[in-house]
Amino acid sequence: MRWSRAFIPTLKEAPSEAIAPSHQLLVRGGFIRQVAAGIYEFLPLGLKVLKKIENIVREEMNKAGAQEVLLTVLNPRELWEETGRWELYGDELFKLQDRHGRDFCLGPTHEEEITDLVRKEVKSYKDLPLILYQIQTKFRDEKRPRFGLIRAREFLMKDAYSFDTDYKGAEEAYNLMGETYERIFSRIGLKYLRVLADTGQIGGKKSEEFVALTPYGEAKVAHCEKCGYAANAEIVPVQKPTPEGEEEKPLQKVHTPNVRTIEELAKFLNVPPRKILKSLLYIVEGKPVLVLIRGDREVDENKLERVLGTDNFRLATDEEIKEILGTERGFVGPINLPEGKVERILWDNSLYGVKNLVVAANEPHYHYINANPGRDFEYGEFYDLAEVQEGDPCPECGAPLRLSRGLEIGHIFLLGTRYSEPMQAYFVDRDGKEKPIVMGCYGIGVSRLMSAIVEQSYDENGIIWPINVAPFELEILPLNVTDEKQMEVAEKLYKEALNRGIDVIIDDRDERAGFKFKDADLIGIPVRIVVGRKVKDGLVEIQIRKTGERFDVPIEEALDKFEELKKELQKA
RNA sequence: CGGGGCGUAGCUCAGGUGGCAGAGCGCUGGCAUCGGGAGCCAGAGGUCGCGGGUUCAAGUCCCGCCGCCCCGACCA
């Protein structure tokens, strides 16, 4: 490619709406452009990277024996009615009608369609096992699209589905996909964690996420350096503490004017937050539910959802607190509750066995000190509702857990018969009996990967692409295009690089050197050969984007040296 | 969906109290220059998000709508 003819609209400044580094750099580097919230165009450079990622995914999937198909974007409503997801998927489903008024959706995922295909064609155990996959654009009307490609409403996904005669086979497929994912993410050059996860809306028996470690990620993961345990924070159990042996002191009511938050209270009464009982009033399916937790802990609403069995809940508003409990925010507690007003009281494990607590009095501007559950008010049902914290004991070995933020780039599910049963995807087994196919499903966010890579690999000058996914492997940069000798050498190197099959770009624009260096850094080409004054001594300079290293080599050795460097960069 | 912010040139932004539409960068032409977005001269470029209202007069004040971004809950 000749830069003078290329469509690479780079920007000196980041657009104001971009916050995440990957979003800013992908826009500035001319990889993507936004059309609407969460909807992006891929420009030539962006598409090149996307295709390289896609091909790595494809190669590894094929190696694992999976077969590529291409399903449809437009899905008829009937298919989604069969699994109940036309309703369950909710507003995230993009719905539309054809000219006859028939309902369709734009596929957000393809369990329904693939199961439909397989149930029609697979009749016997002889047709199994089978793994099918596709790389296709998905549509989800996300509540909040964010951070460029990180959470988009239209995005490229690789989705795979496995079909087996029994759980043993399904588990083998699941494990095979897990290993395949590890190979894919390693080849792409990502630092990631494989963690246990919630099966969530998709359903099923078991699932793991692959999380790219980056501070801009949306997922919180906990991992144990001692035993290797790793899980999405929302499923990490937090154990009950050992009961305190402290002696119970007499209950005392104290005036706490306008002291509402845990921090204010801790300061005002000079007690540590862990000695404060925090009470949160939730409205669950329209009914008030009180959640109690230790002052130094936060409620994990994913855990709460599992305990409540519904996602239809939210914190009560100030008005609701007044109306239901007759008190104000900050002064809600389990003591002196008005009779029959609260549907249910849930205790977090963190409060187990704690003594002499600070508890709000359910009366504005008053708290109790030295309140003791069991003596001053009743214990209730205990549950694990707390967010895991850095240093909490590992559920496997007890060593302190570490917390990191990350970006979910892949997710594998052992589905079982969640889809095959309702959709009646049966096969006839060796024993002549009809049985439901046992399924698994496996997703990779292909376009999201592009952002994940950038999040893990950039500096103040721009992107640093791993060589396997870089838009070009090599840039040849003649400093002065009006210098005949320089151009002659640059052109010669360019043509020979093309002959050798190197993915190369030559910056043949009549621009100042600094300008061209800035652009090259921004778009992140891993290696460049600078052709400058030293050509008259038979030398060119090689520069490595990642390390900033630069050194002279004889012109005729430059491309050999590049190929050597490429191998090293692929290993790193 | 709850809370907050922002919409003015291609980009980043400035435009007290209502009174001629602005800057830097980019773009076009010219000059100069050629190892880190340097400089000089000249020029083009606007439905001030959209609709209504108040006013002699609205980018500015009021009402409604739309769009985009951020925090929270959900997902690859």
Side-chain angles (χ1 to χ4, degrees):
Chain A
M1 186 79 240
R2 290 178 183 280
W3 202 318
S4 60
R5 305 304 316 150
F7 182 49
I8 308 175
T10 58
L11 264 30
K12 204 165 178 177
E13 284 171 289
S16 55
E17 71 267 12
I19 303 294
S22 64
H23 187 191
Q24 293 190 345
L25 292 171
L26 288 172
V27 173
R28 279 191 58 206
F31 293 82
I32 58 172
R33 285 293 184 266
Q34 186 182 54
V35 173
I39 301 177
Y40 289 84
E41 299 160 334
F42 286 83
L43 278 47
L45 235 42
L47 188 62
K48 279 200 80 177
V49 174
L50 195 66
K51 290 286 175 194
K52 287 191 181 185
I53 296 170
E54 198 183 304
N55 280 332
I56 290 173
V57 172
R58 181 175 286 117
E59 274 177 32
E60 294 297 335
M61 289 301 292
N62 290 347
K63 244 187 256 174
Q67 300 170 72
E68 188 170 6
V69 294
L70 185 58
L71 303 181
T72 65
V73 167
L74 231 35
N75 273 202
R77 172 178 184 157
E78 293 71 32
L79 227 40
W80 287 76
E81 295 277 11
E82 285 192 54
T83 55
R85 289 210 295 182
W86 182 261
E87 293 303 329
L88 281 176
Y89 220 95
D91 292 335
E92 237 161 78
L93 209 53
F94 275 108
K95 296 173 180 172
L96 70 161
Q97 294 189 328
D98 71 9
R99 61 172 74 196
H100 306 295
R102 195 178 167 201
D103 288 315
F104 288 86
C105 67
L106 302 179
T109 176
H110 284 79
E111 284 80 12
E112 279 78 3
E113 190 182 341
I114 196 93
T115 307
D116 177 57
L117 173 68
V118 167
R119 74 178 163 187
K120 287 192 283 197
E121 310 305 331
V122 170
K123 300 292 172 201
S124 156
Y125 72 93
K126 291 176 197 161
D127 302 325
L128 298 171
L130 189 61
I131 302 178
L132 300 175
Y133 77 97
Q134 64 170 341
I135 296 171
Q136 193 206 44
T137 303
K138 298 283 190 271
F139 297 85
R140 294 183 189 173
D141 197 357
E142 293 282 349
K143 285 166 206 149
R144 182 146 99 88
R146 235 205 308 197
F147 300 148
L149 263 28
I150 287 178
R151 191 191 325 181
R153 293 194 293 174
E154 175 178 332
F155 61 97
L156 194 66
M157 181 175 172
K158 190 277 323 175
D159 48 322
Y161 307 88
S162 67
F163 304 88
D164 282 271
T165 57
D166 56 19
Y167 272 95
K168 188 169 162 284
E171 205 147 335
E172 276 166 27
Y174 178 92
N175 291 336
L176 175 63
M177 284 298 109
E179 288 159 25
T180 302
Y181 276 29
E182 292 189 358
R183 270 201 300 278
I184 290 170
F185 299 135
S186 303
R187 268 183 74 181
I188 283 172
L190 278 170
K191 289 187 280 294
Y192 68 93
L193 228 45
R194 178 175 175 170
V195 307
L196 299 168
D198 190 10
T199 52
Q201 315 286 33
I202 302 245
K205 302 275 176 196
K206 177 182 177 186
S207 94
E208 287 168 281
E209 287 169 354
F210 291 80
V211 176
L213 298 176
T214 130
Y216 247 92
E218 302 175 293
K220 246 204 265 174
V221 296
H223 60 282
C224 173
E225 284 169 348
K226 195 171 160 209
C227 73
Y229 171 85
N232 191 308
E234 68 196 35
I235 66 158
V236 178
V238 178
Q239 264 95 23
K240 285 182 181 172
T242 45
E244 295 173 353
E246 216 170 285
E247 199 177 312
E248 293 190 354
K249 294 180 198 159
L251 183 70
Q252 200 186 330
K253 193 170 177 178
V254 292
H255 188 45
T256 51
N258 279 314
V259 181
R260 290 172 199 276
T261 66
I262 297 293
E263 299 80 70
E264 288 166 2
L265 202 53
K267 210 169 160 192
F268 187 85
L269 295 172
N270 193 28
V271 294
R274 64 186 310 282
K275 297 299 270 185
I276 299 172
L277 181 146
K278 183 157 67 177
S279 308
L280 301 164
L281 187 66
Y282 278 89
I283 305 296
V284 183
E285 293 180 323
K287 293 178 185 150
V289 170
L290 197 60
V291 175
L292 307 179
I293 190 167
R294 223 167 61 193
D296 60 339
R297 293 260 171 197
E298 301 296 330
V299 170
D300 186 321
E301 293 197 344
N302 293 293
K303 291 184 175 181
L304 184 57
E305 179 181 334
R306 268 171 268 145
V307 168
L308 294 171
T310 174
D311 65 351
N312 181 7
F313 63 85
R314 58 177 173 80
L315 277 170
T317 62
D318 290 3
E319 292 72 40
E320 285 166 332
I321 289 172
K322 200 160 280 177
E323 197 185 309
I324 297 162
L325 299 177
T327 183
E328 291 176 19
R329 186 171 47 82
F331 302 99
V332 175
I335 305 189
N336 308 333
L337 279 175
E339 194 88 14
K341 287 283 193 181
V342 174
E343 185 81 7
R344 194 175 171 191
I345 303 180
L346 304 177
W347 290 65
D348 177 64
N349 283 343
S350 58
L351 287 168
Y352 184 77
V354 286
K355 305 272 187 198
N356 300 321
L357 296 170
V358 174
V359 176
N362 266 323
E363 179 185 337
H365 314 297
Y366 283 94
H367 282 82
Y368 286 104
I369 57 172
N370 299 326
N372 284 289
R375 184 189 71 181
D376 305 315
F377 53 103
E378 285 188 25
Y379 268 118
E381 327 158 54
F382 275 94
Y383 293 101
D384 174 21
L385 298 172
E387 275 181 11
V388 64
Q389 290 176 352
E390 178 95 23
D392 279 346
C394 167
E396 297 288 327
C397 75
L401 287 172
R402 306 252 343 237
L403 285 186
S404 331
R405 290 196 78 80
L407 195 54
E408 184 183 348
I409 49 176
H411 203 156
I412 58 179
F413 295 86
L414 187 57
L415 288 175
T417 57
R418 161 72 179 87
Y419 296 90
S420 49
E421 293 241 47
M423 293 187 70
Q424 302 182 14
Y426 297 131
F427 69 99
V428 178
D429 207 349
R430 210 177 293 264
D431 57 11
K433 292 197 177 112
E434 266 203 340
K435 295 175 185 169
I437 298 174
V438 184
M439 291 174 56
C441 74
Y442 318 94
I444 290 180
V446 176
S447 47
R448 177 183 278 181
L449 272 179
M450 197 164 142
S451 284
I453 294 164
V454 179
E455 290 292 336
Q456 283 190 358
S457 188
Y458 69 92
D459 63 16
E460 65 280 4
N461 294 315
I463 301 172
I464 304 168
W465 290 110
I467 198 159
N468 286 344
V469 298
F472 293 98
E473 299 170 318
L474 174 66
E475 171 169 331
I476 292 169
L477 195 159
L479 287 172
N480 184 357
V481 298
T482 58
D483 179 317
E484 269 176 42
K485 179 71 182 158
Q486 282 184 30
M487 276 318 278
E488 189 192 313
V489 171
E491 287 288 347
K492 208 181 98 211
L493 285 170
Y494 174 62
K495 288 194 182 101
E496 194 185 334
L498 286 176
N499 284 338
R500 293 192 189 198
I502 297 169
D503 194 7
V504 62
I505 184 169
I506 178 168
D507 193 346
D508 56 346
R509 295 174 298 174
D510 185 8
E511 294 286 355
R512 289 183 52 94
F515 184 93
K516 297 209 269 192
F517 283 135
K518 287 286 182 191
D519 260 351
D521 285 345
L522 178 61
I523 70 167
I525 312 292
V527 181
R528 67 185 168 237
I529 297 177
V530 177
V531 182
R533 290 196 183 99
K534 281 174 281 189
V535 286
K536 56 181 188 294
D537 308 320
L539 295 174
V540 292
E541 184 176 286
I542 289 185
Q543 300 184 353
I544 301 168
R545 175 69 179 92
K546 191 171 169 181
T547 59
E549 274 173 88
R550 43 174 90 172
F551 48 86
D552 292 332
V553 291
I555 294 165
E556 53 283 359
E557 288 170 29
L559 292 175
D560 292 338
K561 185 67 194 169
F562 164 76
E563 283 174 338
E564 212 175 289
L565 279 170
K566 178 177 168 181
K567 281 193 194 114
E568 275 172 45
L569 287 169
Q570 278 173 328
K571 264 183 272 166

